[in-house]
Every structure is written in C-alpha cells, then in structure tokens.
C-alpha cells in the first residue's frame, strides 16, 4: 500500500494559494471555518486523511494527471458557476430502480434530497421518469457479462433535448449498464462540463453484478433486435440496499462536481478522487476534502456549517420516512461513519 502524504506547506498552497487576492479571499472565512479547512494540513488530522493506493490499477497509478489546486480551479475560464436563472440541477431517470414505479420514485427522491443537501443552496428537481424506449438509444448485450447495456452518446443527445432553460445541469441516472462505443467493455458514466450534462449507471454497484448468478445476465447467445425495446420490459434491477444508496450518492455528487469544473482530487481522501473499480470507490469518503470544499463553497457561497447540518439531517431523518424495517424506510445504515464525521466537523465549526 502506498500513502500519498503531501507536506503541510504544499497542502496550504493548494488550499489557500500564494496570490494576494486569493489569500484575502481565504481570510474572509470565519475563525472556525478556517480552522476546519486547515485541519487537513496536519498529518495527525482525524478528519481529513491522506490518500492510500492499494493496487496498480487504482486511479492515480493508472491515470497520471496534474493535480488541481484551488487557484487553478478559480482561474479556469471554463468552470461552471450557478447564476440566477440557471441554478437548478435536474435528474432524469431512465428505466426502473427497484421493483416498480413506486420504488423508483422513492429511491430517486432520496437521491434528489441528498444532492440538494450536498449542493446546498441549489434546487434539485426530478424530471418524469422515462423508459429506455423513449430515449431512442442504441443498446446491446455485453459479450462478456451477458447483461444489457445502453449507449451513453445517444443518452446524452436525448438529455440535451430535454435540458430546461433554467438548468445548471441535467444528469441522467439508470440501473442499466452503459457503454460509450462498441470497442469499450463498459463505462460507469459520461459527462460534459461545457454542455452541463451527464449520464451515470449504478448497475455495477450491486454486490452480485460480477457473479455468475447475477439476475441481469441474459441467456448466452441470445440476440436482440436494434429497435426491440421490449427486451427491457421486466429487466432485472438490483434491490435497493443501504450500500447501494451510499454508492449512488457518491457517484451522483462526484460527477456533478466535475460539471462544476472540479477535477479528480489528489490531495486527501475525498469524494472527488477518481476510481477505477468498486473497491477503490468504496474507500472514498462521502464528502469533500478542504481543497475541494473551498472550490465548491466559492462557486456557491454557502455557509459550511449549514451545508453539513443539511447533510446530517438527511441521514438522521432516514428512519422517519417509514416504519423501521419496511420498504418505505430510507436505508441509511451504511451512512453511519459519515454521520459521525459530520458531527465532528460541526463541533469544530461551532467551537465546541
């Protein structure tokens, strides 16, 4: 295992900058906010920890790219910032999530609420769910896993037509696997910063996806007609579990972060870290490191404590959405570590 431990000096430069105007901008944070943001500068921090690489296939090892500090983000002419009249995130569901329309609406409702807490201050709205047939996208059976896949390029073209005028961005989500072109095996998702849209699949976040017993596998050798969307009728979608919800929240907020112009994080453990596989994705925390938090806060202007309180409410109100143990209850058991972390952050911000 390799630990990426940057020096305090380099992390301070990444967080604050050495430009006079950006230093002055940093000084506008409250004493408590600065203390939280600077917490990650210290090797013994209990809130923000260094990145660990476990495999050669981990993102940073296999995708070398320059790290983006706050100054580089701030000076990027292509970064997106919500403005009046263009400050709503839209979520378009493609296909079903769970068993039936009621389960789909409940699940994407939880995602909407979480996204609205994460991007505190923006409105997040759900568009009417659509079946795969409504998108007119190409699809295929993966020759290795024998599951259905839909084409990301066609889905992005569909989203472009559906994007409302007041949208900061529009993101499509689906429980069906994706592929960007015939030569690719699969892709978790695809996004466009300049067009403010993306499409993401949660299919491979099912623990059983890679097993031979996965219920989404079709009979080997089966052929599908290019326009016969009936193959998606009753197609398997994994059960909604707490772990699946956690993974979905990570992916959705990570990819929307890219639409803001925030690149893959290489400073500390952060939800904006890149990931090549499920194990690496699961190691990422649910929230932002101080460098990426400053990027987002600068773009949106929220009070850091208010954002953390909104995220904490979303977790703690989970058991109130239905009787515990019933299908209507929000499954937040997998969020317990994040709940504890948020409380620690708030204790710093509230000077306890």
């Amino acid at each position: 295992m390799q630990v990426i431990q940057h020096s305090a000096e380099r992390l301070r430069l990444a967080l604050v900058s050495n430009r006079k105007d950006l230093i002055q901008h940093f000084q506008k944070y409250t004493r408590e906010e600065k203390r939280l943001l600077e917490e990650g500068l210290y090797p013994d921090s209990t809130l923000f920890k260094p990145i660990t690489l476990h495999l050669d296939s981990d993102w940073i090892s296999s995708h070398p790219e320059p790290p983006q500090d706050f100054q580089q983000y701030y000076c990027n002419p292509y970064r997106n910032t919500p403005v009046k009249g263009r400050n709503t995130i839209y979520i378009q569901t493609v296909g079903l999530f769970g068993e039936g329309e009621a389960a789909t609406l409940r699940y994407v409702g939880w995602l909407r609420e979480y996204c609205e807490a994460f991007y505190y201050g923006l409105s997040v709205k759900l568009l009417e769910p659509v079946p795969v047939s409504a998108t007119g996208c190409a699809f295929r059976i993966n020759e290795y896993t024998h599951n259905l896949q839909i084409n990301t390029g066609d889905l992005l073209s569909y989203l472009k037509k559906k994007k409302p005028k007041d949208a900061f961005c529009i993101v499509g989500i689906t429980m069906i696997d994706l592929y960007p072109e015939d030569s690719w095996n699969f892709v978790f998702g695809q996004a466009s910063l300049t067009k403010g849209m993306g499409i993401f699949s949660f299919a491979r976040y099912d623990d059983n996806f890679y097993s031979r017993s996965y219920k989404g596998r079709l009979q080997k050798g089966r052929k599908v007609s290019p326009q016969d969307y009936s193959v998606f009728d009753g197609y398997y979608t994994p059960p909604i579990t707490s772990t699946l919800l956690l993974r979905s929240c990570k992916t959705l907020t990570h990819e929307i972060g890219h639409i803001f112009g925030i690149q893959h994080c290489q400073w500390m453990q952060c939800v904006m870290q890149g990931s090549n596989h499920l194990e690496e994705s699961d190691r990422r925390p649910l929230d932002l490191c101080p460098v990426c938090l400053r990027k987002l806060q600068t773009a949106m202007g929220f009070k850091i404590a208010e954002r953390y309180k909104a995220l904490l409410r979303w977790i703690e109100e989970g058991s109130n959405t239905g009787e515990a143990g019933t299908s209507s209850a929000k499954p937040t058991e997998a969020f317990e570590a994040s709940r504890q972390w948020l409380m620690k952050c708030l204790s710093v911000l509230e000077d306890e």
Side-chain angles (χ1 to χ4, degrees):
M1 182 177 73
Q2 178 187 353
V3 178
I4 300 179
Q5 180 72 68
H6 298 289
S7 68
E9 292 76 16
R10 190 177 185 200
L11 287 173
R12 179 172 290 280
L13 184 64
L15 172 66
V16 180
S17 172
N18 56 8
R19 256 179 50 174
K20 185 176 180 181
D21 60 328
L22 297 184
I23 294 173
Q24 291 174 340
H25 177 276
F26 184 80
Q27 295 305 320
K28 293 180 181 179
Y29 287 111
T30 66
R31 176 174 61 90
E32 292 78 14
E33 288 173 334
K34 284 187 286 188
R35 187 168 63 183
L36 177 79
L37 292 170
E38 292 173 338
E39 170 72 20
L41 305 180
Y42 308 109
D44 59 348
S45 172
T46 60
L47 293 177
F48 304 104
K49 300 182 181 298
I51 294 172
T52 58
L53 304 180
H54 293 233
L55 302 169
D56 290 339
S57 60
D58 283 355
W59 183 271
I60 291 177
S61 301
S62 56
H63 292 80
E65 54 188 350
Q68 181 196 51
D69 60 25
F70 174 76
Q71 181 176 319
Q72 290 166 329
Y73 166 80
Y74 187 84
C75 296
N76 181 2
Y78 301 106
R79 69 180 176 93
N80 287 333
T81 300
V83 296
K84 186 177 181 180
R86 193 176 62 84
N87 56 1
T88 301
I89 295 172
Y90 285 92
I91 298 177
Q92 173 68 70
T93 305
V94 179
L96 294 178
F97 285 63
E99 298 180 358
E101 293 183 12
T104 298
L105 292 174
R106 188 163 55 245
Y107 188 73
V108 297
W110 294 333
L111 290 177
R112 185 201 71 78
E113 292 167 355
Y114 180 81
C115 190
E116 200 162 66
F118 191 97
Y119 291 102
Y120 187 73
L122 289 188
S123 174
V124 181
K125 296 181 180 179
L126 299 175
L127 296 173
E128 192 71 23
V130 297
V132 178
S133 58
T135 69
C137 68
F139 59 92
R140 72 180 186 185
I141 299 176
N142 184 286
E143 62 178 310
Y144 303 106
T145 57
H146 307 295
N147 61 294
L148 284 170
Q149 295 180 300
I150 47 184
N151 183 268
T152 57
D154 292 346
L155 289 172
L156 288 172
S157 297
Y158 173 79
L159 291 176
K160 184 178 180 180
K161 297 174 184 176
K162 292 267 292 188
K163 186 178 181 182
K165 291 183 179 180
D166 66 337
F168 169 72
C169 66
I170 181 171
V171 292
I173 57 174
T174 184
M175 275 292 187
I176 303 168
D177 206 22
L178 301 174
Y179 74 100
E181 52 188 85
D182 290 339
S183 61
W184 283 57
N185 180 25
F186 79 98
V187 69
F188 283 114
Q190 189 173 347
S192 170
L193 185 155
T194 54
K195 295 179 180 178
M197 58 187 189
I199 178 72
F200 321 112
S201 170
F202 305 143
R204 291 178 182 248
Y205 292 151
D206 178 9
D207 284 331
N208 295 318
F209 183 87
Y210 293 97
S211 71
R212 290 189 174 275
S213 61
Y214 180 64
K215 295 181 180 179
R217 291 173 67 95
L218 302 181
Q219 185 177 358
K220 195 170 182 179
R222 178 174 177 177
K223 304 293 183 181
V224 294
S225 171
Q227 297 300 320
D228 184 12
Y229 291 99
S230 66
V231 70
F232 292 98
D233 294 341
Y235 183 63
Y236 172 75
T237 57
I240 303 305
T241 65
S242 184
T243 299
L244 185 64
L245 181 59
L246 175 71
R247 291 167 174 168
S248 301
C249 287
K250 280 186 184 181
T251 296
L252 183 61
T253 52
H254 173 103
E255 299 298 347
I256 293 175
H258 285 321
I259 296 175
F260 272 84
I262 303 174
Q263 297 176 9
H264 285 127
C265 181
Q266 299 183 51
W267 303 111
M268 288 164 263
Q269 290 185 19
C270 178
V271 74
M272 289 308 299
Q273 284 174 246
S275 65
N276 267 348
H277 47 84
L278 185 57
E279 179 188 345
E280 184 176 24
S281 178
D282 282 345
R283 289 199 304 267
R284 294 183 304 187
L286 194 58
D287 214 295
L288 300 163
C289 76
V291 178
C292 294
L293 178 59
R294 188 184 179 196
K295 294 173 186 177
L296 185 63
Q297 192 282 329
T298 297
M300 299 187 59
F302 52 70
K303 293 291 185 182
I304 297 174
E306 294 306 310
R307 175 180 176 273
Y308 283 160
K309 288 176 183 177
L311 289 165
L312 188 61
R313 281 195 301 272
W314 183 90
I315 297 173
E316 293 185 336
E317 292 171 359
S319 61
N320 296 328
T321 57
E323 187 178 345
T326 69
S327 60
S328 60
K330 190 198 314 177
T332 56
E333 300 86 357
F335 293 79
E336 179 57 24
S338 181
R339 187 182 76 85
Q340 295 288 342
W341 181 84
L342 288 166
M343 291 174 66
K344 290 178 182 178
C345 290
L346 284 168
S347 71
V348 174
L349 290 166
E350 293 171 352
D351 200 22
E352 293 182 3

